[in-house]
Amino acid sequence: MKNGFEFAVLDRGTMESPLGEKCHPCNLLPPIVPILAHSLKRTQRNRVASSNYPTDLIIQIGDSSFHLHKLVMASRSEYLKRLVFERGSNRESAGDSLIIQIKNLPGGKKSFESIVNFCYGRKFDITASNIAPLYCAAHFLEMSEELQEGNLISKTEAFLTFLILSSWKDTFRILKATESISYWAKDLQIVKRCSQAIALKVCANPNASGFTCQSERPSSKTNNSVHDWWFEDVSFLRIDHFIEVIQSIRRCGIKPELVGSCIERWTRKWFSQVTLGLDKETPKSLTLHRISIECLINILPTEENSVTCNFLLHLLKAGVMLKINSELLCVLERRVALMLEKCGVPDLLVKNQEEKCSLYDVTVVLRVLRFYVCGMSSNHSAKPKPNSVGRLVDGYLIQVARDENLTMESFKSLVEALPQNARHCDDNLYRAVDMYLKAHPNLTEEDRTDICRNLEYHRLSQEARKHVMQNERLPLKLTTEFVLLEQVNMTTSMTSNGSSYRRTNAQTIMRVNKDLKRREITNAQEINMMRKDVEIIKSQLLKVYSCKLKLQNQLKGCIR
């Protein structure tokens, strides 16, 4: 070929470019070398270059030793040349052979074995899975054109470029292969080049569905749209590679909604088990999770509606559990708070994974609600819609109230999270309270009274009031109060129509007639009179209730 390669076709499948072109894996044959090796004999830990000349160089890579020739290796590698000829006198030797130990060679002994084959003129496989380590190892050993024309750096560079530009699948294989050589891959910009190639293909083919290499099913058989055909492949990338790809894609101008959906796909895939068994995680893995969450938050698109409320809440939950930077937690809380007025109840549902906990994590929702209330009270220039958020929270309360594991403290905190003016009426709040009492029948009278503390008579509809007065699950104090207020309300309404009533010490009955009107009694005086009557009846009912309890206790004693 024109680029200096000589390809030997193998029978192990083909590589496919995005345009449908086929190309075979190849063997790379270098130009003429000073000493040819008949073979590279292998033992358990040794590799010996067999030729007409005795070996005079031993290179140790990990636990393996390569018995080679100085002239062959030094003629291709500037790094080895310096060690052999300039510092050879200071190196350890074994007989006539010079021993060189190489640490941290990219790709380890596999890459070095391919390099040995190259230097001795032997054929070796070069594929998408080994090209990146081989390219980095060539740079490590300084196998440049300055030392000899057609050296390994230039040849691996040409083949690497060919694979990155032509094959969608091989680009991901190259990225996968760089995970063990991150420093060199970043320094030589392999990850950046692969990321840019992926971004260019995504932008150039927004509706292509035939590139995916992880899933063989076409897009039409999944729930994905034709625009997210690339999500599945990108979701298999490691966090640092994924971030690099996302940044490249954003620079290409892909819609923020697609970018946000892709980040959500990756996060749900890799952090689906992040809330399970954190106590069993090592400090190193916890740190990795923490850094990953922080990086994901930093690359989230800032445009409105680019990410879903539910995803942000899951991200916030993971961030709280992993104790990420508090400023980033505030960023998430603020974003969700700004979205609350347009959210639905399903957007707030974040499941707990632990068996003994409540079904849904209400603490993460509570954090956002408190942030929303603080922002609503401090930002006077904006026009918040607290009533819409009130309806949302009441719907959420109805959803979570059925849970037997939801604690009273959590339920009360949610009820009290919003100010009173956030609700037009308390009908839905009453419904949630009633459902909670039904799901928790063992609550004491004091606990039930405490839960119902926020229910107010005048904020309920007539239908809800009737239900309250007939509801046996509610505390007696509340039903009594509602009965009295209902009587007062009826009296007031009928009084305003000119009807007459008699007052007694035992009933809240007011006699209002034309004589009182002629005396010009004010509304304030009438209200005060009604309040006094209510207090009298309350005290009488409490006495009756105490007598009832005494009689019940006496009856129990007689039965015993």
Side-chain angles (χ1 to χ4, degrees):
M1 294 179 64
K2 293 181 180 180
N3 59 10
F5 281 98
E6 184 177 352
F7 294 112
V9 178
L10 301 177
D11 293 325
R12 293 200 298 269
T14 60
M15 297 182 293
E16 182 178 351
S17 73
L19 300 178
E21 299 171 347
K22 307 288 184 178
C23 58
H24 292 268
C26 61
N27 290 333
L28 184 60
L29 299 179
I32 299 174
V33 295
I35 299 176
L36 291 174
H38 305 305
S39 64
L40 191 63
K41 295 181 180 179
R42 296 187 180 187
T43 61
Q44 187 174 2
R45 293 186 178 181
N46 295 331
R47 308 288 187 274
V48 180
S50 177
S51 70
N52 296 329
Y53 302 91
T55 59
D56 54 2
L57 175 64
I58 300 175
I59 296 181
Q60 294 178 341
I61 308 290
D63 59 353
S64 299
S65 297
F66 293 80
H67 297 257
L68 310 169
H69 299 86
K70 296 178 184 177
L71 181 60
V72 174
M73 303 306 297
S75 65
R76 291 287 179 178
S77 169
E78 186 67 36
Y79 175 84
L80 293 176
K81 179 181 177 181
R82 286 198 305 271
L83 294 180
V84 169
F85 294 105
E86 296 176 10
R87 298 166 56 190
S89 58
N90 298 324
R91 306 301 293 181
E92 182 182 351
S93 61
D96 295 332
S97 297
L98 177 66
I99 299 177
I100 297 176
Q101 188 175 21
I102 300 178
K103 298 179 180 179
N104 302 321
L105 178 72
K109 62 183 180 182
K110 289 185 178 180
S111 291
F112 191 73
E113 186 171 345
S114 297
I115 289 172
V116 170
N117 283 322
F118 172 80
C119 292
Y120 278 97
R122 297 181 57 79
K123 293 189 292 186
F124 65 96
D125 294 344
I126 181 169
T127 65
S129 298
N130 68 7
I131 183 62
L134 192 59
Y135 178 69
C136 295
H139 277 273
F140 181 95
L141 296 174
E142 302 173 34
M143 303 177 71
S144 64
E145 295 291 303
E146 296 179 359
L147 190 62
Q148 191 171 107
E149 185 178 356
N151 214 344
L152 191 57
I153 288 179
S154 62
K155 295 201 171 189
T156 51
E157 165 68 30
F159 192 63
L160 179 65
T161 303
F162 167 75
L163 290 178
I164 291 175
L165 294 179
S166 64
S167 175
W168 170 266
K169 297 179 182 179
D170 286 335
T171 304
F172 285 91
R173 294 191 182 106
I174 291 170
L175 279 174
K176 184 67 178 177
T178 62
E179 292 182 358
S180 60
I181 51 171
S182 297
Y183 171 78
W184 282 94
K186 183 178 180 180
D187 188 57
L188 296 174
Q189 298 190 336
I190 298 177
V191 174
K192 183 177 181 179
R193 290 164 64 184
C194 290
S195 302
Q196 290 174 344
I198 292 171
L200 288 173
K201 291 181 177 72
V202 169
C203 295
N205 301 274
N207 297 328
S209 60
F211 288 6
T212 52
C213 55
Q214 301 295 345
S215 176
E216 298 299 329
R217 295 179 298 174
S219 301
S220 59
K221 294 184 181 180
T222 67
N223 294 326
N224 303 335
S225 69
V226 293
H227 300 286
D228 61 9
W229 57 268
W230 47 279
F231 283 14
E232 187 67 15
D233 292 331
V234 173
S235 69
F236 281 87
L237 295 176
R238 200 173 65 176
I239 179 65
D240 52 340
H241 296 167
F242 174 75
I243 291 174
E244 190 75 35
V245 168
I246 289 297
Q247 290 173 339
S248 298
I249 287 175
R250 292 186 66 181
R251 285 192 290 267
C252 287
I254 287 291
K255 292 181 179 180
E257 294 82 359
L258 273 179
V259 175
S261 298
C262 183
I263 295 174
E264 181 173 350
R265 173 78 68 86
W266 188 95
T267 307
R268 290 189 185 276
K269 179 180 180 64
W270 287 96
F271 283 90
S272 59
Q273 302 298 322
V274 73
T275 57
L276 290 176
L278 286 181
D279 54 336
K280 300 178 182 179
E281 295 279 357
T282 63
K284 183 178 180 180
S285 62
L286 286 175
T287 301
L288 178 60
H289 288 323
R290 187 179 302 113
I291 293 173
S292 299
I293 288 288
E294 292 176 349
C295 291
L296 289 171
I297 296 172
N298 286 323
I299 66 170
L300 287 175
T302 56
E303 289 81 1
E304 186 177 1
N305 299 324
S306 57
V307 286
T308 64
C309 174
N310 188 260
F311 169 60
L312 291 175
L313 284 173
H314 277 87
L315 209 57
L316 178 59
K317 174 183 173 67
V320 171
M321 296 186 69
L322 292 168
K323 300 178 182 179
I324 66 171
N325 185 284
S326 58
E327 293 182 1
L328 292 178
L329 289 178
C330 288
V331 169
L332 291 177
E333 291 169 357
R334 182 177 183 276
R335 289 197 67 167
V336 178
L338 292 174
M339 300 171 70
L340 285 178
E341 294 174 3
K342 298 180 180 179
C343 286
V345 173
D347 296 322
L348 302 184
L349 300 180
V350 178
K351 284 192 174 183
N352 276 321
Q353 302 297 332
E354 294 83 356
E355 294 181 0
K356 297 182 180 179
C357 293
S358 58
L359 179 61
Y360 298 106
D361 187 348
V362 299
T363 58
V364 67
V365 176
L366 189 59
R367 289 178 67 105
V368 173
L369 290 177
R370 288 170 176 168
F371 194 95
Y372 172 82
V373 172
C374 292
M376 186 175 62
S377 59
S378 61
N379 190 2
H380 301 289
S381 59
K383 295 182 179 180
K385 301 177 181 178
N387 291 321
S388 61
V389 178
R391 288 192 297 271
L392 173 68
V393 173
D394 287 346
Y396 180 73
L397 282 168
I398 292 172
Q399 180 70 35
V400 302
R402 305 181 182 93
D403 188 359
E404 297 179 357
N405 292 326
L406 181 64
T407 64
M408 189 179 75
E409 290 74 18
S410 297
F411 184 80
K412 279 182 55 184
S413 298
L414 281 172
V415 172
E416 298 169 357
L418 294 180
Q420 193 178 58
N421 62 357
R423 296 178 174 92
H424 280 302
C425 70
D426 287 350
D427 281 18
N428 287 332
L429 178 60
Y430 166 65
R431 182 183 172 192
V433 169
D434 186 39
M435 294 180 69
Y436 186 82
L437 294 177
K438 185 177 180 180
H440 301 79
N442 297 325
L443 292 175
T444 65
E445 184 77 6
E446 292 182 1
D447 290 339
R448 287 186 290 162
T449 302
D450 199 18
I451 289 175
C452 298
R453 192 180 304 278
N454 292 84
L455 294 176
E456 297 185 11
Y457 174 85
H458 69 279
R459 295 180 60 82
L460 292 175
S461 65
Q462 186 64 32
E463 183 180 358
R465 294 171 189 170
K466 290 181 180 179
H467 193 278
V468 169
M469 290 183 286
Q470 299 173 1
N471 193 342
E472 297 180 355
R473 288 186 288 270
L474 298 177
L476 179 62
K477 182 179 180 181
L478 180 70
T479 54
T480 302
E481 181 180 345
F482 270 52
V483 169
L484 295 175
L485 290 173
E486 182 67 18
Q487 291 179 354
V488 171
N489 186 43
M490 291 175 62
T491 302
T492 303
S493 62
M494 298 183 74
T495 300
S496 63
N497 293 329
S499 300
S500 298
Y501 294 88
R502 293 170 52 190
R503 284 180 63 202
T504 67
N505 292 331
Q507 297 175 326
T508 308
I509 302 175
M510 297 185 63
R511 185 176 181 83
V512 180
N513 50 34
K514 296 180 181 179
D515 294 337
L516 291 176
K517 291 185 178 180
R518 285 194 295 266
R519 295 173 188 174
E520 297 181 353
I521 297 177
T522 63
N523 291 333
Q525 290 173 325
E526 293 178 6
I527 292 173
N528 288 333
M529 293 175 66
M530 287 189 294
R531 286 178 178 172
K532 290 179 181 178
D533 288 333
V534 169
E535 293 299 327
I536 291 172
I537 294 179
K538 276 186 178 180
S539 61
Q540 292 177 349
L541 285 173
L542 288 175
K543 289 179 181 180
V544 172
Y545 182 68
S546 62
C547 290
K548 176 185 174 183
L549 293 177
K550 289 180 180 179
L551 290 173
Q552 288 178 344
N553 292 332
Q554 291 176 1
L555 182 61
K556 290 180 180 178
C558 293
I559 294 174
R560 290 176 183 174

